[in-house]
């Protein structure tokens, strides 16, 4: 596997650290790539905690294989190859990391292990293709999970990261023909999973939320805090796609049925009607973090996070996640009555 380039400073320093057994320098150089490698593992696995583990596994394998690095490829390429294969090994051992059929009449399938990715953990100065918004959004991550693992890897390396076929084939220990065939099959599946979405994943995509998105999130939070059911209903599309993970039951329902369902499960009833919310972004998507205050509790406690996909001023998809016991989200555990957060 070669990048047809002269040995760079990072590669030379890395080789020197590997030969001398200098773990501190080795770690310092490798660490520069942590965030983008973790995004790569997240695309492969759709689960933040698994991605963290596999990134750490990547660095462990890199250390153990340090003598095999000769600088024929960039350090970045070498680490991506190790990370990809660490994820493939992980998927081979786990039978609970594939989509499962929906338990509802909806013929679709669900990715119950999906977790949100906090924007604060994305690379600070990324290459555009690494965290282009459309390749980190939840719908994209879910769609990729419908690909068999090696198709998934070929698709991400080729169509997301833009690797040439020969380089991807070398990383996956496949022939160029096999990678090309896998990519063609993956593209068909992605078109089926993401109808109506642009599929040129290597083109630049926006990172910023639109004013429209910010306005809808503000209105959603305002309606939630005021228990304004009509206001909430007015923000939802009538073909809303709703999920509350990791619980099964993703469905497409009307705005009225969605709100009626929330009320029937106790939301906006006594004990579940005193809310404070803050805005955040995960997967480069707008999100509302919901805090609930129980009767006689002086503080609002972290409840869940609602990630919103907004189309033409309406919420088209609402994916809820339990936000408790997930310190990596970087959210306050509670809010005081004046809205101040505490850990």
């Amino acid at each position: 596997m070669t990048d047809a380039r002269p040995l760079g400073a990072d590669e030379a320093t890395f080789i020197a650290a590997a030969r001398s057994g200098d773990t501190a320098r080795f770690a310092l150089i490798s660490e520069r790539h942590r965030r983008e490698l973790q995004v790569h593992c997240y695309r492969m696995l759709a689960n933040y905690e698994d991605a963290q583990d596999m990134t750490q596994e990547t660095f462990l394998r890199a250390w153990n294989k340090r003598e095999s690095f000769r600088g024929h490829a960039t350090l970045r390429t070498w680490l991506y190859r190790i990370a990809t294969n660490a994820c493939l090994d992980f998927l081979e051992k786990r039978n609970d990391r594939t989509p499962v059929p929906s338990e509802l009449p909806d013929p679709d399938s669900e990715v119950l292990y999906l977790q949100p990715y906090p924007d604060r953990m994305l690379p600070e100065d990324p290459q555009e293709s690494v965290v282009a918004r459309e390749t980190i959004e939840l719908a994209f991550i879910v769609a990729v999970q419908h690909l068999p693992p090696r198709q998934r890897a070929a698709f991400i390396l080729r169509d997301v990261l833009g690797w040439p076929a020969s380089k991807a084939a070398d990383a996956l220990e496949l022939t160029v023909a096999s990678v090309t065939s896998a990519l063609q099959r993956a593209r068909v599946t992605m078109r089926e999973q993401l109808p109506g979405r642009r599929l040129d994943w290597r083109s630049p995509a926006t990172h910023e939320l639109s004013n429209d998105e910010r306005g809808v999130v503000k209105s959603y939070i305002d309606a939630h805090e005021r228990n304004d059911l009509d206001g909430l209903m007015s923000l939802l599309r009538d073909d809303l796609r709703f999920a509350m993970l990791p619980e099964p039951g993703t469905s497409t329902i009307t705005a009225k049925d969605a709100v009626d369902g929330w009320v029937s499960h106790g939301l906006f009833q006594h004990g579940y009607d005193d809310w404070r919310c803050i805005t955040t972004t995960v997967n480069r998507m707008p999100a509302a973090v919901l805090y609930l205050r129980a009767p006689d509790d002086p503080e609002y406690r972290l409840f869940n996070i609602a990630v919103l996909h907004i189309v033409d001023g309406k919420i088209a998809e609402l994916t809820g996640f339990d936000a408790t016991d997930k310190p990596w989200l970087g959210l306050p555990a509670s809010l005081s009555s004046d809205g101040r957060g505490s850990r």
Side-chain angles (χ1 to χ4, degrees):
M1 177 176 57
T2 64
D3 287 349
R5 60 186 292 281
L7 191 65
D10 267 5
E11 286 74 29
T13 305
F14 189 87
I15 289 172
R19 287 175 177 170
S20 65
D22 187 340
T23 56
R25 188 193 291 182
F26 184 97
L28 182 63
I29 300 167
S30 304
E31 189 67 25
R32 298 172 190 169
H33 300 277
R34 177 180 292 276
R35 290 195 175 195
E36 63 174 300
L37 289 170
Q38 189 162 296
V39 169
H40 178 60
C41 293
Y42 176 73
R43 283 202 189 97
M44 287 287 296
L45 306 174
N47 183 284
Y48 183 87
E49 290 165 317
D50 291 344
Q52 277 188 316
D53 290 345
M54 288 305 100
T55 303
Q56 199 58 40
E57 173 68 13
T58 296
F59 291 140
L60 178 61
R61 291 188 184 192
W63 174 253
N64 291 336
K65 296 179 179 180
R66 62 192 182 278
E67 297 298 335
S68 68
F69 183 72
R70 295 288 184 270
H72 301 308
T74 65
L75 176 60
R76 180 175 181 268
T77 295
W78 188 67
L79 291 172
Y80 264 92
R81 174 178 182 160
I82 294 173
T84 301
N85 284 286
C87 290
L88 290 173
D89 290 346
F90 173 87
L91 291 169
E92 187 177 350
K93 296 173 184 175
R94 298 289 294 263
N95 58 11
D96 62 341
R97 286 297 184 266
T98 55
V100 297
S102 173
E103 294 187 358
L104 298 180
D106 191 324
D108 208 345
S109 55
E110 302 177 283
V111 179
L112 300 181
Y113 52 91
L114 177 69
Q115 290 181 334
Y117 201 103
D119 281 13
R120 67 187 184 88
M121 296 306 296
L122 292 171
E124 295 174 0
D125 186 23
Q127 292 192 11
E128 187 74 26
S129 63
V130 175
V131 286
R133 177 173 174 180
E134 291 174 310
T135 65
I136 196 70
E137 287 182 342
L138 292 179
F140 180 91
I141 298 300
V142 168
V144 168
Q145 299 305 298
H146 288 80
L147 302 175
R150 289 199 176 272
Q151 276 189 38
R152 191 182 311 176
F155 174 77
I156 292 171
L157 293 176
R158 293 280 284 115
D159 272 12
V160 178
L161 297 179
W163 285 23
S166 58
K167 187 172 168 182
D170 200 9
L172 297 173
E173 298 180 346
L174 297 172
T175 65
V176 169
S178 295
V179 165
T180 301
S181 176
L183 178 61
Q184 290 171 345
R185 294 195 301 273
R187 285 172 174 169
V188 170
T189 301
M190 292 298 287
R191 290 189 190 100
E192 293 171 348
Q193 291 295 321
L194 295 171
R197 303 259 183 131
R198 82 176 183 95
L199 298 175
D200 184 8
W201 306 113
R202 287 174 291 180
S203 295
T206 180
H207 286 177
E208 301 300 323
L209 300 185
S210 67
N211 290 333
D212 194 32
E213 289 174 312
R214 292 189 180 93
V216 171
V217 176
K218 184 177 183 300
S219 297
Y220 176 87
I221 284 176
D222 180 61
H224 218 287
E225 291 184 341
R226 292 188 295 106
N227 294 285
D228 178 2
L229 302 186
D230 289 336
L232 277 176
M233 200 179 305
S234 71
L235 295 170
L236 308 176
R237 275 178 46 153
D238 236 18
D239 57 348
L240 175 72
R241 185 81 175 158
F242 172 71
M244 184 65 210
L245 297 174
E247 297 299 319
T250 300
S251 60
T252 301
I253 52 179
T254 67
K256 184 178 186 307
D257 285 346
V259 173
D260 287 348
W262 297 338
V263 172
S264 70
H265 283 85
L267 294 184
F268 308 109
Q269 305 297 311
H270 180 67
Y272 289 89
D273 58 352
D274 191 358
W275 303 96
R276 286 291 180 272
C277 309
I278 60 176
T279 60
T280 190
T281 55
V282 297
N283 296 75
R284 295 208 183 279
M285 301 174 71
V289 186
L290 310 181
Y291 290 80
L292 175 67
R293 183 165 69 174
D296 302 322
D297 191 336
E299 293 195 319
Y300 294 85
R301 307 293 175 180
L302 184 59
F303 188 70
N304 66 23
I305 181 170
V307 185
L308 310 176
H309 176 55
I310 297 166
V311 178
D312 297 330
K314 294 273 192 174
I315 298 170
E317 298 173 16
L318 192 161
T319 308
F321 297 92
D322 179 3
T324 59
D325 300 320
K326 294 179 178 61
W328 42 268
L329 283 171
L331 300 170
S334 63
L335 297 178
S336 61
S337 57
D338 61 5
R340 295 180 179 177
S342 60
R343 297 291 175 179

